[in-house]
Amino acid sequence: MNKGEGMQRQFEREIAALFEEYRTLREEVTQRVAARMHMIGFAGVISALLAASNKITFAGPTLYVAAVALLLALLWLRGINLAIQRIGTHLRGVEARINELASLAWGTPDAILTWETKIQAGRQQVSGVPGLSGRIGGWYVP
């Protein structure tokens, strides 16, 4: 085996390891999105039950319980969103490394992985009130 073949095999092993990391992180994003949706549903049900109870007054604890439940849900959602964004940042780095190695190993002129990079480009174009609320809520990060 010559030096070029050895380097190509090394690139291929690194690409395989990075693909496994990429796949695992994409699964984690999927799980976090599902958890986020469950929390939204849970907070919605609590709010609906409290609103339907006809006991929401400033004198009773129901209003304050509803406000605390919604505040905690919003803070939890923001934390989940920021975690997803951190994973996305790391995934973009993995994409870049895989694309670089693929170019070296196989002479691939085009990027093989582009999902996270394209999604981030779209997030950065969101402006106005949706962009501001998205950044505050952790949905979009610069």
Side-chain angles (χ1 to χ4, degrees):
M1 171 172 55
N2 65 34
K3 185 176 178 173
E5 289 174 356
M7 289 297 291
Q8 184 170 352
R9 286 187 183 162
Q10 181 179 338
F11 291 151
E12 289 173 357
R13 282 193 298 271
E14 189 173 347
I15 289 169
L18 288 167
F19 265 125
E20 182 61 25
E21 179 181 17
Y22 188 85
R23 184 192 61 77
T24 302
L25 289 171
R26 289 296 315 151
E27 285 177 10
E28 185 172 341
V29 168
T30 301
Q31 291 170 354
R32 287 177 185 256
V33 168
R36 181 176 68 192
M37 296 311 293
H38 286 115
M39 178 53 77
I40 290 170
F42 179 70
V45 167
I46 288 176
S47 299
L49 289 173
L50 290 171
S53 73
N54 292 329
K55 294 183 181 181
I56 295 183
T57 65
F58 286 106
T62 310
L63 177 66
Y64 303 106
V65 170
V68 167
L70 288 174
L71 177 65
L72 290 174
L74 288 172
L75 290 173
W76 193 81
L77 285 172
R78 185 174 192 282
I80 287 289
N81 291 338
L82 291 172
I84 290 170
Q85 293 300 318
R86 282 190 303 273
I87 293 169
T89 298
H90 186 74
L91 282 169
R92 287 190 298 281
V94 172
E95 280 182 356
R97 182 67 179 144
I98 288 173
N99 291 334
E100 175 188 343
L101 288 169
S103 176
L104 292 172
W106 306 312
T108 309
D110 296 326
I112 357 181
L113 295 177
T114 59
W115 174 256
E116 285 298 325
T117 305
K118 286 182 180 178
I119 289 297
Q120 180 65 12
R123 285 185 198 114
Q124 290 176 334
Q125 292 177 1
V126 177
S127 60
V129 174
L132 178 62
S133 63
R135 280 182 268 293
I136 290 169
W139 297 87
Y140 312 122
V141 292

